[in-house]
Amino acid sequence: MTEAPSDLIRSVSRALRVLEEVSRADRPLSVKVIARRCGLNLSTSYHLVRTLCYEGYLHRCPDGDYLPGSKIAERFHEMIGAFDRPPRASVVLRHLAAVTGHTAYLAQLVGGRLVVLDVAEGPRSPWLEDLQAGLEAAPHATALGKALLLALPPRVRRDILTGYGLPRFTSSTPASVEEVEAELAGLRPGQVVEEHGQFRDEVACAGAVVPGTSWAVGISAHGLSVPVRARARLAEAACDLA
């Protein structure tokens, strides 16, 4: 939704704003800082943080500052568990990471958003903090996203790209829907798709759609190329997941 609903409950909206500010901060925050960052008065901020602490969504440090609480982690794990995925996904990803040495990913388009569902780390890949289970990734700049976009009708593809936007991650990131379409024009649905330095500098990724599904499996690699053998194993993994 892009517009606030007519029955918006402002106290809930404010509480979520507080959670977002505390969660994205790189250190514990005082109530005064929370109030300033959220544009709230101090009295309202005190009421909100006390309620959130009572419910377990914030934690009060001994010095009076606040951190995210344990209930946030519990909700995160419940969210991951709620996503549908292939029955043997974790087994296949671990095998793919073991035989190639590259980190393996499973992702899906959910409501027009690319969500990473599972990850198996491999030593030949960099650690990518934005490609972790439960996080949204960029469909226009990742091989996982491009593989899934390739399987969609052009109009649906354009709607997803327009809705997400096209943020720049590197100088090689596609800057327009037309650039993405030009990349995909020479590919056929189901083909292994690669991106080279579009999501992270000096990192390449490959992705493939699991046949007959809305999932994609992918791998990442140091440098600007994905080894041919790893690409072949990736295609095999996609078939295994089907």
Side-chain angles (χ1 to χ4, degrees):
M1 300 179 67
T2 57
E3 297 181 3
S6 58
D7 56 351
L8 177 73
I9 302 175
R10 298 196 178 278
S11 59
V12 175
S13 182
R14 291 171 183 145
L16 292 172
R17 206 181 320 158
V18 168
L19 278 179
E20 289 171 354
E21 286 296 335
V22 174
S23 297
R24 69 166 60 103
D26 56 4
R27 59 181 177 80
L29 299 181
S30 68
V31 178
K32 289 184 178 180
V33 172
I34 292 171
R36 184 177 71 251
R37 292 189 179 183
C38 295
L40 303 172
N41 65 52
L42 194 57
S43 175
T44 298
S45 298
Y46 271 112
H47 289 310
L48 290 172
V49 297
R50 286 171 182 158
T51 301
L52 290 167
C53 278
Y54 172 76
E55 297 291 348
Y57 290 94
L58 287 182
H59 171 72
R60 188 177 187 274
C61 301
D63 62 1
D65 291 347
Y66 292 86
L67 288 169
S70 60
K71 285 294 182 68
I72 293 180
E74 291 178 19
R75 300 293 84 77
F76 173 79
H77 287 292
E78 289 169 357
M79 179 195 74
I80 294 296
F83 281 118
D84 190 23
R85 69 193 72 192
R88 299 173 56 246
S90 294
V91 174
V92 172
L93 288 187
R94 288 197 301 269
H95 178 72
L96 179 59
V99 297
T100 65
H102 295 279
T103 298
Y105 311 89
L106 180 73
Q108 186 177 35
L109 284 169
V110 180
R113 301 286 179 171
L114 179 65
V115 180
V116 180
L117 304 180
D118 204 351
V119 179
E121 298 288 346
R124 295 181 181 174
S125 297
W127 187 78
L128 299 174
E129 68 280 3
D130 292 333
L131 289 184
Q132 299 300 314
L135 301 184
E136 286 187 7
H140 68 295
T142 60
L144 289 163
K146 292 177 193 290
L148 288 166
L149 290 172
L150 184 62
L152 298 175
R155 181 183 58 79
V156 177
R157 190 160 61 224
R158 177 174 288 271
D159 288 346
I160 289 174
L161 291 170
T162 303
Y164 185 83
L166 290 94
R168 300 299 296 273
F169 297 96
T170 74
S171 60
S172 300
T173 304
S176 67
V177 175
E178 289 69 27
E179 285 188 39
V180 178
E181 289 290 352
E183 280 189 40
L184 300 180
L187 303 174
R188 64 183 186 279
Q191 184 176 343
V192 174
V193 179
E194 292 191 30
E195 64 84 9
H196 309 99
Q198 294 185 356
F199 186 62
R200 288 291 183 272
D201 286 317
E202 297 301 317
V203 175
C205 294
V209 169
V210 176
T213 76
S214 59
W215 297 299
V217 62
I219 54 175
S220 60
H222 286 288
L224 295 180
S225 65
V226 177
V228 174
R229 177 175 172 273
R231 278 176 53 102
R233 292 289 192 172
L234 172 64
E236 291 172 3
C239 292
D240 286 344
L241 286 171

